[in-house]
Amino acid sequence: MGLLTFSINVTLDGCVDHQEGIADDETHAFFTRLMDEGGAMLWGRVTYEMMESYWPAVARGDEEAAPPMREWAVKLEAKPKYVVSSTRKDFPWTNSHHIAGDLRTGVQKLKDATPAGVLLGSGKLATELDRLDLIDEYNFLVHPRIAGHGPTLYQSGLPSTRRLELVSAKPLRSGAVAMHYRRAR
């Protein structure tokens, strides 16, 4: 069984708005490495649609992009992508698959079938999966910014505090810090 790892950009005040992070070569290399280490990506519909609206065009060369961004896009194109949605059924982006029905069952089956692990990149979906005790690890890229607005990490709350064990912390040149935690069970 593979691990489910939640990974996201977050500011010091908890904002997970994708426009608030530092998008430089080192940041893209960090997320490319995480994607390379995992067997599949997992998103909610909103994140999928945001990604689908841009990255396939970068992978095809239809959008100008720096080499690390293009590398990310090409690898993302090839990576299996799983989407949780109750409102959308058709996911035409290459290697995209729909997880329908019971959330716990669907995601547990994905974990069981993906020994290299699953990388989760959607904040709202992470809250639901954390409530179901399905998240095993967390990789947060904490940016040296205070956004002063939302959406924020775990905005709708959790039923109890999650105890985590620090696996590693690595500062980046931009001042962001890559924080890797494991659930303390």
Side-chain angles (χ1 to χ4, degrees):
M1 174 181 84
L3 298 177
L4 179 59
T5 302
F6 176 35
S7 181
I8 200 161
N9 288 297
V10 61
T11 63
L12 289 171
D13 59 344
C15 179
V16 293
D17 181 332
H18 74 279
Q19 297 176 341
E20 292 299 337
I22 298 165
D24 61 10
D25 290 353
E26 192 174 25
T27 299
H28 282 285
F30 169 78
F31 283 108
T32 300
R33 182 186 54 77
L34 286 180
M35 183 173 55
D36 286 347
E37 291 172 355
M41 306 295 286
L42 176 62
W43 298 316
R45 179 192 55 80
V46 172
T47 301
Y48 174 87
E49 289 175 350
M50 177 184 66
M51 302 296 271
E52 174 189 46
S53 72
Y54 180 69
W55 293 110
V58 173
R60 288 189 308 268
D62 296 344
E63 291 280 341
E64 292 283 328
M69 290 178 67
R70 183 150 339 274
E71 178 187 8
W72 158 265
V74 168
K75 289 182 177 190
L76 183 58
E77 190 75 15
K79 186 67 74 173
K81 296 168 279 295
Y82 292 84
V83 187
V84 172
S85 177
S86 60
T87 59
R88 183 174 170 181
K89 307 289 186 244
D90 180 43
F91 299 92
W93 185 10
T94 306
N95 296 321
S96 294
H97 312 277
H98 184 213
I99 294 180
D102 180 70
L103 183 60
R104 179 188 302 274
T105 302
V107 172
Q108 187 61 57
K109 283 182 182 177
L110 176 60
K111 287 174 67 172
D112 293 345
T114 315
V118 178
L119 189 61
L120 167 64
S122 294
K124 287 181 183 177
L125 180 57
T127 300
E128 294 308 311
L129 295 176
D130 223 332
R131 287 179 180 156
L132 296 171
D133 273 340
L134 289 170
I135 298 179
D136 303 295
E137 295 189 345
Y138 304 80
N139 262 304
F140 297 132
L141 191 55
V142 182
H143 294 266
R145 295 183 173 179
I146 296 173
H149 65 85
T152 58
L153 195 60
Y154 293 102
Q155 190 165 313
S156 60
L158 292 173
S160 62
T161 300
R162 298 290 184 251
R163 287 189 31 239
L164 307 176
E165 297 170 350
L166 180 65
V167 175
S168 66
K170 180 184 180 218
L172 279 61
R173 289 184 302 273
S174 66
V177 180
M179 306 293 293
H180 180 188
Y181 291 95
R182 179 177 299 125
R183 280 287 296 272
R185 304 242 184 211

